[in-house]
Amino acid sequence: MPIPYYPGCTLSTKARGYDASGRAVAKALGLELEELQDWNCCGATFPLAMDNLLAMTGPTQVLVQARAHSDRLVTLCAICYNVLKRTNYFLQSDAEKRDRINYFIEADYAGDLRVQHFLEILRDELGFEALKQRVDEARKETGKSLEGLRVAPYYGCLLLRPEKELQLDNAEDPRILEDLLQAIGCDPVDFSHRVECCGSYLLVTSPDLAADMSYAVLQSAAHNGAHLLVTACPLCQYNLDHKQAEMARQHPGFKPLPVLYFTQLMGLALGLNSDDWGWELHYVDPRPVLAGHGL
Amino acid sequence: MARVRLSRERVRGELVRKIEELSGQNLLACNQCGKCSAGCPAATVMDLLPNQVIRYAQFGLEQVLEAKSIWICASCQTCYVRCPHGVDLSRIMEALRVIALEQGDDHLRPQELDPDEVADMPQLAVIAGFRKYTMMGG
């Protein structure tokens, strides 16, 4: 049965390489993602004021759409995941407010959908052992491997926190990206800033602060010998990648570090055609580093 | 530093009530251990440290609404994950932003943004910015 997939606004445009590589990887692994019909914006932030029910109508509408087709919904964007899953948790835990939101949007949603990140499906349904076998098979065919590639797994905030509501992994000491990177044959790099904030939407109001926060993340990865960094969030990708122009101006001797989506790296490990995975949208072109490792 | 006068009226006053209602948090659950400030990735540029924001809020001191810190918090939730009493400071920060926005001007004005930079940004950053920093987004 196909899994309803919610791309969200940014994966449909500026992060289309994440969307394209994610869909290609899912297809290669026999996971059938089907884009949700007529989806709307999730709102891009989970409303934190207790009386802000209006901001929850958008994400609730997405859940209602998905529930009409399935008992679950999958996302790639970490922000959409956070907003949709937190909204779902809120609707599950407060029946009175759920009724009010249902009334606003003329729906009858009971809160009985599972919101999943694609990473959870890879870990819990396909399994990393099966993934490893697929990667080994691909390696035999193509002769290409990620061996020796040192990759910094960057989680950021919204995949993990708050742990009580998301329950994807341990918020302070997660393993899911490290385990995935090992399964696809590269070396995960341990670094201090893997769950620190990149600066997020401070990009809009305090761009210098966002650049400083992202710089700290990149330096931590680089000091530990990373050749590149992977993320599951299009806003982290932008802050960490596109802000490197500013970082190079501010910090003499700064060395650029490519920032990829984990799906792009998975796709390369599976030997898929990566021509339309949005490499031109990256500020630091990852292709030379990948080519240096025979990819 | 100016002296701060505390009173029962303030501690039991309207500002404290409103912060607690909007945030859903019990301000007095915080015993000022400081873990939130220790882990906050933006604390170095804040005028009031995260635990001080709660302290001001506990005492009902309106100066907290003038603090730059409430606009610097990016709701990364590190403080919430680490708080030994389960206080969700990101919700308290949101409550303070909502009250400050109700009383004053929007913190983000579209006309002040550089169109070229906005065109380059992922749109979810722009949407999130307007949701967090203007009454419109609320």
Side-chain angles (χ1 to χ4, degrees):
Chain A
M1 193 171 157
I3 310 169
Y5 162 58
Y6 178 78
C9 60
T10 303
L11 267 73
S12 306
T13 52
K14 288 175 178 158
R16 55 186 179 270
Y18 189 13
D19 177 75
S21 57
R23 288 179 197 246
V25 163
K27 194 175 171 198
L29 295 171
L31 300 164
E32 201 184 337
L33 303 187
E34 191 172 276
E35 182 170 337
L36 195 62
Q37 296 294 304
D38 297 328
W39 54 265
N40 53 270
C41 175
C42 74
T45 56
F46 177 73
L48 293 168
M50 299 305 286
D51 67 345
N52 193 356
L53 301 188
L54 194 57
M56 268 190 250
T57 55
T60 303
Q61 187 63 49
V62 174
L63 303 174
V64 169
Q65 295 279 92
R67 189 67 189 92
H69 301 285
S70 178
D71 62 351
R72 59 166 157 173
L73 176 67
V74 65
T75 73
L76 282 166
C77 173
I79 296 186
C80 298
Y81 168 72
N82 187 281
V83 174
L84 294 170
K85 191 148 186 186
R86 292 197 75 180
T87 299
N88 204 36
Y89 181 91
F90 181 86
L91 297 170
Q92 287 166 350
S93 41
D94 192 329
E96 191 226 318
K97 287 184 175 154
R98 183 177 71 227
D99 286 348
R100 285 175 64 191
I101 292 170
N102 270 326
Y103 178 74
F104 285 157
I105 62 171
E106 298 181 342
D108 188 21
Y109 178 59
D112 53 347
L113 187 81
R114 282 179 297 149
V115 177
Q116 297 178 302
H117 192 272
F118 186 56
L119 281 167
E120 287 174 285
I121 293 178
L122 294 173
R123 177 189 62 190
D124 303 334
E125 294 178 36
L126 178 74
F128 288 151
E129 195 49 45
L131 174 63
K132 185 173 182 304
Q133 284 173 12
R134 299 298 295 272
V135 169
D136 289 344
E137 287 162 19
R139 188 207 302 223
K140 277 178 203 143
E141 273 177 37
T142 63
K144 291 180 181 177
S145 117
L146 271 55
E147 204 177 315
L149 192 63
R150 292 179 56 79
V151 181
Y154 177 65
Y155 292 87
C157 308
L158 297 178
L159 261 186
L160 300 172
R161 296 191 290 266
E163 184 179 336
K164 185 179 152 199
E165 296 177 32
L166 301 182
Q167 298 192 353
L168 180 107
D169 205 340
N170 185 311
E172 296 282 29
D173 189 19
R175 290 292 321 160
I176 192 166
L177 281 175
E178 280 83 351
D179 292 345
L180 176 116
L181 291 174
Q182 266 168 352
I184 63 171
C186 45
D187 285 343
V189 171
D190 189 17
F191 69 117
S192 59
H193 280 55
R194 65 199 180 111
V195 300
E196 290 278 306
C197 180
C198 72
S200 188
Y201 50 76
L202 291 175
L203 168 69
V204 185
T205 48
S206 313
D208 294 343
L209 176 56
D212 285 348
M213 290 165 78
S214 282
Y215 177 71
V217 172
L218 291 171
Q219 286 301 96
S220 167
H223 281 151
N224 288 286
H227 298 131
L228 51 88
L229 183 144
V230 290
T231 174
C233 174
L235 185 49
C236 297
Q237 202 284 336
Y238 184 88
N239 280 336
L240 293 167
D241 180 30
H242 288 249
K243 285 283 161 186
Q244 290 191 37
E246 180 65 25
M247 295 173 203
R249 274 194 293 275
Q250 297 241 342
H251 305 279
F254 175 80
K255 289 201 181 70
L257 190 73
V259 181
L260 282 79
Y261 295 107
F262 72 95
T263 46
Q264 291 173 318
L265 209 51
M266 283 182 76
L268 293 172
L270 289 164
L272 308 180
N273 181 339
S274 63
D275 290 349
D276 64 346
W277 291 354
W279 303 110
E280 73 285 357
L281 301 169
H282 293 245
Y283 175 74
V284 178
D285 190 342
R287 286 170 290 191
V289 170
L290 296 170
H293 283 82
L295 296 165
Chain B
M1 180 167 173
R3 283 181 60 190
V4 173
R5 190 174 294 277
L6 303 178
S7 68
R8 187 189 158 92
E9 286 69 34
R10 272 186 192 280
V11 175
R12 298 269 178 267
E14 178 60 18
L15 180 61
V16 171
R17 190 196 63 75
K18 202 162 182 185
I19 295 168
E20 291 199 330
E21 185 183 302
L22 285 172
S23 67
Q25 305 299 301
N26 172 10
L27 291 172
L28 293 179
C30 166
N31 68 348
Q32 292 289 310
C33 76
K35 270 181 101 84
C36 50
S37 299
C40 176
T44 50
V45 294
M46 287 183 173
D47 46 0
L48 283 184
L49 291 172
N51 69 297
Q52 291 176 312
V53 168
I54 303 187
R55 198 52 152 172
Y56 274 58
Q58 287 172 329
F59 290 154
L61 300 174
E62 284 176 3
Q63 297 96 304
V64 70
L65 298 172
E66 309 285 323
K68 291 194 183 79
S69 306
I70 65 176
W71 308 108
I72 290 171
C73 166
S75 312
C76 81
Q77 313 274 334
T78 305
C79 50
Y80 177 32
V81 169
R82 294 182 185 171
C83 176
H85 292 283
V87 176
D88 187 347
L89 176 51
S90 69
R91 285 193 183 272
I92 295 171
M93 291 284 195
E94 182 101 331
L96 294 169
R97 280 189 294 269
V98 169
I99 297 168
L101 287 169
E102 277 172 3
Q103 293 182 359
D105 293 332
D106 284 346
H107 188 67
L108 174 62
R109 281 175 282 275
Q111 60 272 28
E112 288 172 11
L113 295 174
D114 179 335
D116 292 335
E117 281 180 22
V118 171
D120 195 45
M121 285 176 193
Q123 52 271 56
L124 56 82
V126 183
I127 299 165
F130 280 102
R131 287 219 142 180
K132 286 286 177 187
Y133 299 128
T134 68
M135 271 314 283
M136 176 195 82

